[in-house]
PDB file of all heavy atoms in Angstrom:
ATOM      1  N   THR A1482      76.839 125.355 204.538  1.00 76.00           N
ATOM      2  CA  THR A1482      75.853 125.265 205.603  1.00 76.00           C
ATOM      3  C   THR A1482      74.536 124.677 205.112  1.00 76.00           C
ATOM      4  O   THR A1482      73.934 123.817 205.816  1.00 76.00           O
ATOM      5  CB  THR A1482      75.556 126.728 206.133  1.00 76.00           C
ATOM      6  OG1 THR A1482      76.763 127.251 206.678  1.00 76.00           O
ATOM      7  CG2 THR A1482      74.542 126.671 207.300  1.00 76.00           C
ATOM      8  N   ALA A1483      74.111 125.033 203.907  1.00 77.00           N
ATOM      9  CA  ALA A1483      72.877 124.532 203.390  1.00 77.00           C
ATOM     10  C   ALA A1483      73.022 122.995 203.093  1.00 77.00           C
ATOM     11  O   ALA A1483      72.083 122.233 203.374  1.00 77.00           O
ATOM     12  CB  ALA A1483      72.519 125.279 202.110  1.00 77.00           C
ATOM     13  N   VAL A1484      74.204 122.590 202.576  1.00 83.00           N
ATOM     14  CA  VAL A1484      74.384 121.187 202.275  1.00 83.00           C
ATOM     15  C   VAL A1484      74.452 120.340 203.536  1.00 83.00           C
ATOM     16  O   VAL A1484      73.836 119.267 203.630  1.00 83.00           O
ATOM     17  CB  VAL A1484      75.699 120.996 201.457  1.00 83.00           C
ATOM     18  CG1 VAL A1484      76.009 119.513 201.316  1.00 83.00           C
ATOM     19  CG2 VAL A1484      75.579 121.606 200.062  1.00 83.00           C
ATOM     20  N   VAL A1485      75.119 120.885 204.583  1.00 85.00           N
ATOM     21  CA  VAL A1485      75.172 120.130 205.857  1.00 85.00           C
ATOM     22  C   VAL A1485      73.773 119.989 206.438  1.00 85.00           C
ATOM     23  O   VAL A1485      73.448 118.915 206.957  1.00 85.00           O
ATOM     24  CB  VAL A1485      76.106 120.895 206.832  1.00 85.00           C
ATOM     25  CG1 VAL A1485      75.952 120.357 208.250  1.00 85.00           C
ATOM     26  CG2 VAL A1485      77.546 120.781 206.378  1.00 85.00           C
ATOM     27  N   LYS A1486      72.924 120.972 206.320  1.00 86.00           N
ATOM     28  CA  LYS A1486      71.578 120.901 206.863  1.00 86.00           C
ATOM     29  C   LYS A1486      70.798 119.789 206.087  1.00 86.00           C
ATOM     30  O   LYS A1486      70.016 118.991 206.668  1.00 86.00           O
ATOM     31  CB  LYS A1486      70.830 122.230 206.734  1.00 86.00           C
ATOM     32  CG  LYS A1486      69.417 122.147 207.400  1.00 86.00           C
ATOM     33  CD  LYS A1486      68.757 123.510 207.419  1.00 86.00           C
ATOM     34  CE  LYS A1486      67.513 123.510 208.283  1.00 86.00           C
ATOM     35  NZ  LYS A1486      66.610 122.358 207.965  1.00 86.00           N
ATOM     36  N   LEU A1487      70.996 119.724 204.767  1.00 88.00           N
ATOM     37  CA  LEU A1487      70.322 118.667 204.014  1.00 88.00           C
ATOM     38  C   LEU A1487      70.788 117.287 204.433  1.00 88.00           C
ATOM     39  O   LEU A1487      69.995 116.349 204.581  1.00 88.00           O
ATOM     40  CB  LEU A1487      70.578 118.882 202.526  1.00 88.00           C
ATOM     41  CG  LEU A1487      69.964 120.121 201.838  1.00 88.00           C
ATOM     42  CD1 LEU A1487      70.478 120.190 200.392  1.00 88.00           C
ATOM     43  CD2 LEU A1487      68.475 120.004 201.862  1.00 88.00           C
ATOM     44  N   LEU A1488      72.084 117.182 204.718  1.00 90.00           N
ATOM     45  CA  LEU A1488      72.649 115.924 205.196  1.00 90.00           C
ATOM     46  C   LEU A1488      72.053 115.560 206.593  1.00 90.00           C
ATOM     47  O   LEU A1488      71.598 114.390 206.801  1.00 90.00           O
ATOM     48  CB  LEU A1488      74.156 115.963 205.292  1.00 90.00           C
ATOM     49  CG  LEU A1488      74.908 115.983 203.945  1.00 90.00           C
ATOM     50  CD1 LEU A1488      76.325 116.461 204.112  1.00 90.00           C
ATOM     51  CD2 LEU A1488      74.898 114.537 203.328  1.00 90.00           C
ATOM     52  N   GLU A1489      71.977 116.514 207.435  1.00 89.00           N
ATOM     53  CA  GLU A1489      71.460 116.271 208.792  1.00 89.00           C
ATOM     54  C   GLU A1489      69.991 115.909 208.814  1.00 89.00           C
ATOM     55  O   GLU A1489      69.506 115.169 209.637  1.00 89.00           O
ATOM     56  CB  GLU A1489      71.705 117.532 209.681  1.00 89.00           C
ATOM     57  CG  GLU A1489      73.193 117.700 209.988  1.00 89.00           C
ATOM     58  CD  GLU A1489      73.438 119.023 210.753  1.00 89.00           C
ATOM     59  OE1 GLU A1489      72.537 119.887 210.738  1.00 89.00           O
ATOM     60  OE2 GLU A1489      74.559 119.205 211.286  1.00 89.00           O
ATOM     61  N   ASP A1490      69.273 116.508 207.786  1.00 88.00           N
ATOM     62  CA  ASP A1490      67.822 116.223 207.698  1.00 88.00           C
ATOM     63  C   ASP A1490      67.513 114.947 206.941  1.00 88.00           C
ATOM     64  O   ASP A1490      66.343 114.572 206.754  1.00 88.00           O
ATOM     65  CB  ASP A1490      67.117 117.428 207.015  1.00 88.00           C
ATOM     66  CG  ASP A1490      67.098 118.655 207.821  1.00 88.00           C
ATOM     67  OD1 ASP A1490      67.418 118.520 209.084  1.00 88.00           O
ATOM     68  OD2 ASP A1490      66.813 119.761 207.341  1.00 88.00           O
ATOM     69  N   GLY A1491      68.577 114.267 206.456  1.00 91.00           N
ATOM     70  CA  GLY A1491      68.344 113.019 205.723  1.00 91.00           C
ATOM     71  C   GLY A1491      67.871 113.223 204.321  1.00 91.00           C
ATOM     72  O   GLY A1491      67.250 112.286 203.715  1.00 91.00           O
ATOM     73  N   ASP A1492      68.119 114.412 203.749  1.00 91.00           N
ATOM     74  CA  ASP A1492      67.618 114.738 202.393  1.00 91.00           C
ATOM     75  C   ASP A1492      68.601 114.374 201.301  1.00 91.00           C
ATOM     76  O   ASP A1492      68.296 114.664 200.107  1.00 91.00           O
ATOM     77  CB  ASP A1492      67.278 116.232 202.317  1.00 91.00           C
ATOM     78  CG  ASP A1492      66.094 116.604 203.204  1.00 91.00           C
ATOM     79  OD1 ASP A1492      65.271 115.692 203.462  1.00 91.00           O
ATOM     80  OD2 ASP A1492      65.989 117.769 203.630  1.00 91.00           O
ATOM     81  N   ILE A1493      69.715 113.770 201.590  1.00 92.00           N
ATOM     82  CA  ILE A1493      70.676 113.361 200.572  1.00 92.00           C
ATOM     83  C   ILE A1493      70.923 111.860 200.769  1.00 92.00           C
ATOM     84  O   ILE A1493      71.347 111.416 201.823  1.00 92.00           O
ATOM     85  CB  ILE A1493      72.031 114.165 200.772  1.00 92.00           C
ATOM     86  CG1 ILE A1493      71.785 115.649 200.612  1.00 92.00           C
ATOM     87  CG2 ILE A1493      73.047 113.666 199.781  1.00 92.00           C
ATOM     88  CD1 ILE A1493      72.977 116.539 200.818  1.00 92.00           C
ATOM     89  N   THR A1494      70.648 111.098 199.684  1.00 93.00           N
ATOM     90  CA  THR A1494      70.731 109.688 199.796  1.00 93.00           C
ATOM     91  C   THR A1494      71.474 109.081 198.573  1.00 93.00           C
ATOM     92  O   THR A1494      71.585 109.703 197.510  1.00 93.00           O
ATOM     93  CB  THR A1494      69.292 109.058 199.802  1.00 93.00           C
ATOM     94  OG1 THR A1494      68.598 109.442 198.623  1.00 93.00           O
ATOM     95  CG2 THR A1494      68.567 109.523 201.014  1.00 93.00           C
ATOM     96  N   THR A1495      71.973 107.874 198.765  1.00 93.00           N
ATOM     97  CA  THR A1495      72.546 107.096 197.680  1.00 93.00           C
ATOM     98  C   THR A1495      72.124 105.672 197.841  1.00 93.00           C
ATOM     99  O   THR A1495      72.136 105.125 198.965  1.00 93.00           O
ATOM    100  CB  THR A1495      74.128 107.211 197.638  1.00 93.00           C
ATOM    101  OG1 THR A1495      74.591 106.522 196.480  1.00 93.00           O
ATOM    102  CG2 THR A1495      74.733 106.636 198.873  1.00 93.00           C
ATOM    103  N   ASN A1496      71.604 105.100 196.765  1.00 92.00           N
ATOM    104  CA  ASN A1496      71.022 103.724 196.818  1.00 92.00           C
ATOM    105  C   ASN A1496      69.961 103.608 197.907  1.00 92.00           C
ATOM    106  O   ASN A1496      69.858 102.553 198.603  1.00 92.00           O
ATOM    107  CB  ASN A1496      72.142 102.671 197.067  1.00 92.00           C
ATOM    108  CG  ASN A1496      73.062 102.592 195.887  1.00 92.00           C
ATOM    109  OD1 ASN A1496      72.673 102.703 194.752  1.00 92.00           O
ATOM    110  ND2 ASN A1496      74.375 102.372 196.164  1.00 92.00           N
ATOM    111  N   GLY A1497      69.221 104.689 198.122  1.00 90.00           N
ATOM    112  CA  GLY A1497      68.129 104.654 199.092  1.00 90.00           C
ATOM    113  C   GLY A1497      68.605 104.837 200.545  1.00 90.00           C
ATOM    114  O   GLY A1497      67.763 104.814 201.440  1.00 90.00           O
ATOM    115  N   LYS A1498      69.879 105.010 200.765  1.00 92.00           N
ATOM    116  CA  LYS A1498      70.410 105.140 202.164  1.00 92.00           C
ATOM    117  C   LYS A1498      70.859 106.589 202.418  1.00 92.00           C
ATOM    118  O   LYS A1498      71.507 107.196 201.531  1.00 92.00           O
ATOM    119  CB  LYS A1498      71.575 104.211 202.335  1.00 92.00           C
ATOM    120  CG  LYS A1498      71.196 102.721 202.252  1.00 92.00           C
ATOM    121  CD  LYS A1498      72.407 101.816 202.445  1.00 92.00           C
ATOM    122  CE  LYS A1498      72.060 100.370 202.380  1.00 92.00           C
ATOM    123  NZ  LYS A1498      73.224  99.498 202.577  1.00 92.00           N
ATOM    124  N   VAL A1499      70.509 107.082 203.563  1.00 93.00           N
ATOM    125  CA  VAL A1499      70.920 108.477 203.952  1.00 93.00           C
ATOM    126  C   VAL A1499      72.456 108.520 204.018  1.00 93.00           C
ATOM    127  O   VAL A1499      73.088 107.621 204.618  1.00 93.00           O
ATOM    128  CB  VAL A1499      70.272 108.866 205.291  1.00 93.00           C
ATOM    129  CG1 VAL A1499      70.826 110.204 205.791  1.00 93.00           C
ATOM    130  CG2 VAL A1499      68.773 108.940 205.138  1.00 93.00           C
ATOM    131  N   MET A1500      72.997 109.582 203.555  1.00 93.00           N
ATOM    132  CA  MET A1500      74.487 109.731 203.538  1.00 93.00           C
ATOM    133  C   MET A1500      74.929 110.547 204.724  1.00 93.00           C
ATOM    134  O   MET A1500      74.412 111.653 204.944  1.00 93.00           O
ATOM    135  CB  MET A1500      74.964 110.372 202.236  1.00 93.00           C
ATOM    136  CG  MET A1500      74.646 109.611 200.965  1.00 93.00           C
ATOM    137  SD  MET A1500      75.415 110.292 199.489  1.00 93.00           S
ATOM    138  CE  MET A1500      77.156 109.906 199.797  1.00 93.00           C
ATOM    139  N   PRO A1501      75.899 110.078 205.509  1.00 90.00           N
ATOM    140  CA  PRO A1501      76.435 110.882 206.594  1.00 90.00           C
ATOM    141  C   PRO A1501      77.455 111.888 206.046  1.00 90.00           C
ATOM    142  O   PRO A1501      77.988 111.736 204.979  1.00 90.00           O
ATOM    143  CB  PRO A1501      77.120 109.816 207.473  1.00 90.00           C
ATOM    144  CG  PRO A1501      77.459 108.690 206.540  1.00 90.00           C
ATOM    145  CD  PRO A1501      76.402 108.710 205.515  1.00 90.00           C
ATOM    146  N   LYS A1502      77.732 112.898 206.879  1.00 86.00           N
ATOM    147  CA  LYS A1502      78.677 113.980 206.416  1.00 86.00           C
ATOM    148  C   LYS A1502      80.105 113.437 206.150  1.00 86.00           C
ATOM    149  O   LYS A1502      80.840 114.068 205.364  1.00 86.00           O
ATOM    150  CB  LYS A1502      78.722 115.043 207.502  1.00 86.00           C
ATOM    151  CG  LYS A1502      77.464 115.921 207.615  1.00 86.00           C
ATOM    152  CD  LYS A1502      77.639 117.062 208.552  1.00 86.00           C
ATOM    153  CE  LYS A1502      77.734 116.582 210.005  1.00 86.00           C
ATOM    154  NZ  LYS A1502      77.703 117.700 210.961  1.00 86.00           N
ATOM    155  N   SER A1503      80.443 112.397 206.769  1.00 86.00           N
ATOM    156  CA  SER A1503      81.832 111.891 206.638  1.00 86.00           C
ATOM    157  C   SER A1503      82.051 111.082 205.401  1.00 86.00           C
ATOM    158  O   SER A1503      83.165 110.748 205.024  1.00 86.00           O
ATOM    159  CB  SER A1503      82.191 111.060 207.863  1.00 86.00           C
ATOM    160  OG  SER A1503      81.323 109.963 208.003  1.00 86.00           O
ATOM    161  N   ASP A1504      80.989 110.711 204.679  1.00 91.00           N
ATOM    162  CA  ASP A1504      81.138 109.903 203.448  1.00 91.00           C
ATOM    163  C   ASP A1504      81.923 110.630 202.391  1.00 91.00           C
ATOM    164  O   ASP A1504      81.795 111.873 202.192  1.00 91.00           O
ATOM    165  CB  ASP A1504      79.752 109.574 202.871  1.00 91.00           C
ATOM    166  CG  ASP A1504      79.187 108.264 203.424  1.00 91.00           C
ATOM    167  OD1 ASP A1504      79.756 107.740 204.401  1.00 91.00           O
ATOM    168  OD2 ASP A1504      78.223 107.761 202.859  1.00 91.00           O
ATOM    169  N   ARG A1505      82.721 109.878 201.642  1.00 91.00           N
ATOM    170  CA  ARG A1505      83.435 110.415 200.501  1.00 91.00           C
ATOM    171  C   ARG A1505      82.810 109.898 199.213  1.00 91.00           C
ATOM    172  O   ARG A1505      82.374 108.689 199.176  1.00 91.00           O
ATOM    173  CB  ARG A1505      84.893 110.099 200.570  1.00 91.00           C
ATOM    174  CG  ARG A1505      85.623 110.857 201.738  1.00 91.00           C
ATOM    175  CD  ARG A1505      87.078 110.683 201.719  1.00 91.00           C
ATOM    176  NE  ARG A1505      87.695 111.411 202.838  1.00 91.00           N
ATOM    177  CZ  ARG A1505      88.059 112.674 202.804  1.00 91.00           C
ATOM    178  NH1 ARG A1505      87.857 113.379 201.701  1.00 91.00           N
ATOM    179  NH2 ARG A1505      88.541 113.296 203.868  1.00 91.00           N
ATOM    180  N   VAL A1506      82.714 110.723 198.222  1.00 91.00           N
ATOM    181  CA  VAL A1506      82.029 110.312 196.976  1.00 91.00           C
ATOM    182  C   VAL A1506      82.993 109.679 195.980  1.00 91.00           C
ATOM    183  O   VAL A1506      84.221 109.930 196.057  1.00 91.00           O
ATOM    184  CB  VAL A1506      81.348 111.563 196.346  1.00 91.00           C
ATOM    185  CG1 VAL A1506      80.283 112.127 197.284  1.00 91.00           C
ATOM    186  CG2 VAL A1506      82.350 112.638 195.968  1.00 91.00           C
ATOM    187  N   THR A1507      82.424 108.925 195.051  1.00 90.00           N
ATOM    188  CA  THR A1507      83.223 108.305 193.978  1.00 90.00           C
ATOM    189  C   THR A1507      82.669 108.784 192.679  1.00 90.00           C
ATOM    190  O   THR A1507      81.486 109.123 192.511  1.00 90.00           O
ATOM    191  CB  THR A1507      83.156 106.798 194.065  1.00 90.00           C
ATOM    192  OG1 THR A1507      81.784 106.376 194.023  1.00 90.00           O
ATOM    193  CG2 THR A1507      83.741 106.278 195.409  1.00 90.00           C
ATOM    194  N   ALA A1508      83.534 108.773 191.658  1.00 86.00           N
ATOM    195  CA  ALA A1508      83.121 109.215 190.311  1.00 86.00           C
ATOM    196  C   ALA A1508      82.009 108.323 189.788  1.00 86.00           C
ATOM    197  O   ALA A1508      82.057 107.078 189.866  1.00 86.00           O
ATOM    198  CB  ALA A1508      84.314 109.189 189.366  1.00 86.00           C
ATOM    199  N   GLY A1509      80.952 108.964 189.296  1.00 86.00           N
ATOM    200  CA  GLY A1509      79.829 108.191 188.747  1.00 86.00           C
ATOM    201  C   GLY A1509      78.795 107.777 189.763  1.00 86.00           C
ATOM    202  O   GLY A1509      77.742 107.211 189.393  1.00 86.00           O
ATOM    203  N   GLN A1510      79.070 108.033 191.043  1.00 91.00           N
ATOM    204  CA  GLN A1510      78.132 107.639 192.076  1.00 91.00           C
ATOM    205  C   GLN A1510      76.840 108.414 191.899  1.00 91.00           C
ATOM    206  O   GLN A1510      76.818 109.609 191.612  1.00 91.00           O
ATOM    207  CB  GLN A1510      78.712 107.920 193.459  1.00 91.00           C
ATOM    208  CG  GLN A1510      77.805 107.567 194.625  1.00 91.00           C
ATOM    209  CD  GLN A1510      78.466 107.838 195.973  1.00 91.00           C
ATOM    210  OE1 GLN A1510      79.625 108.344 195.999  1.00 91.00           O
ATOM    211  NE2 GLN A1510      77.835 107.483 197.060  1.00 91.00           N
ATOM    212  N   ILE A1511      75.673 107.764 191.992  1.00 92.00           N
ATOM    213  CA  ILE A1511      74.377 108.372 191.867  1.00 92.00           C
ATOM    214  C   ILE A1511      73.867 108.833 193.193  1.00 92.00           C
ATOM    215  O   ILE A1511      73.752 108.069 194.196  1.00 92.00           O
ATOM    216  CB  ILE A1511      73.371 107.423 191.184  1.00 92.00           C
ATOM    217  CG1 ILE A1511      73.889 106.924 189.853  1.00 92.00           C
ATOM    218  CG2 ILE A1511      72.012 108.136 191.014  1.00 92.00           C
ATOM    219  CD1 ILE A1511      74.164 108.066 188.842  1.00 92.00           C
ATOM    220  N   ILE A1512      73.578 110.126 193.300  1.00 91.00           N
ATOM    221  CA  ILE A1512      73.127 110.700 194.572  1.00 91.00           C
ATOM    222  C   ILE A1512      71.813 111.447 194.331  1.00 91.00           C
ATOM    223  O   ILE A1512      71.643 112.162 193.335  1.00 91.00           O
ATOM    224  CB  ILE A1512      74.161 111.676 195.109  1.00 91.00           C
ATOM    225  CG1 ILE A1512      75.461 110.907 195.464  1.00 91.00           C
ATOM    226  CG2 ILE A1512      73.642 112.418 196.346  1.00 91.00           C
ATOM    227  CD1 ILE A1512      76.591 111.817 195.917  1.00 91.00           C
ATOM    228  N   ASP A1513      70.868 111.222 195.241  1.00 91.00           N
ATOM    229  CA  ASP A1513      69.561 111.950 195.175  1.00 91.00           C
ATOM    230  C   ASP A1513      69.586 113.023 196.195  1.00 91.00           C
ATOM    231  O   ASP A1513      69.928 112.810 197.423  1.00 91.00           O
ATOM    232  CB  ASP A1513      68.406 110.987 195.464  1.00 91.00           C
ATOM    233  CG  ASP A1513      68.242 109.970 194.338  1.00 91.00           C
ATOM    234  OD1 ASP A1513      68.331 110.362 193.149  1.00 91.00           O
ATOM    235  OD2 ASP A1513      68.012 108.768 194.608  1.00 91.00           O
ATOM    236  N   VAL A1514      69.196 114.228 195.829  1.00 89.00           N
ATOM    237  CA  VAL A1514      69.177 115.363 196.734  1.00 89.00           C
ATOM    238  C   VAL A1514      67.814 116.006 196.657  1.00 89.00           C
ATOM    239  O   VAL A1514      67.340 116.446 195.614  1.00 89.00           O
ATOM    240  CB  VAL A1514      70.209 116.448 196.328  1.00 89.00           C
ATOM    241  CG1 VAL A1514      70.224 117.572 197.331  1.00 89.00           C
ATOM    242  CG2 VAL A1514      71.608 115.782 196.261  1.00 89.00           C
ATOM    243  N   LEU A1515      67.146 116.080 197.861  1.00 89.00           N
ATOM    244  CA  LEU A1515      65.894 116.848 197.960  1.00 89.00           C
ATOM    245  C   LEU A1515      66.296 118.289 198.232  1.00 89.00           C
ATOM    246  O   LEU A1515      66.691 118.649 199.343  1.00 89.00           O
ATOM    247  CB  LEU A1515      65.051 116.311 199.133  1.00 89.00           C
ATOM    248  CG  LEU A1515      63.582 116.859 199.231  1.00 89.00           C
ATOM    249  CD1 LEU A1515      62.831 116.595 197.954  1.00 89.00           C
ATOM    250  CD2 LEU A1515      62.865 116.250 200.442  1.00 89.00           C
TER     251      LEU A1515
END
């Protein structure tokens, strides 16, 4: 629930872009989380 809220609030990004909930991650991908 907490992670989904961060996603909905735009607090999780990769390469400066907000990540949607449906995105799948890759090994070594750099993610910024407020």
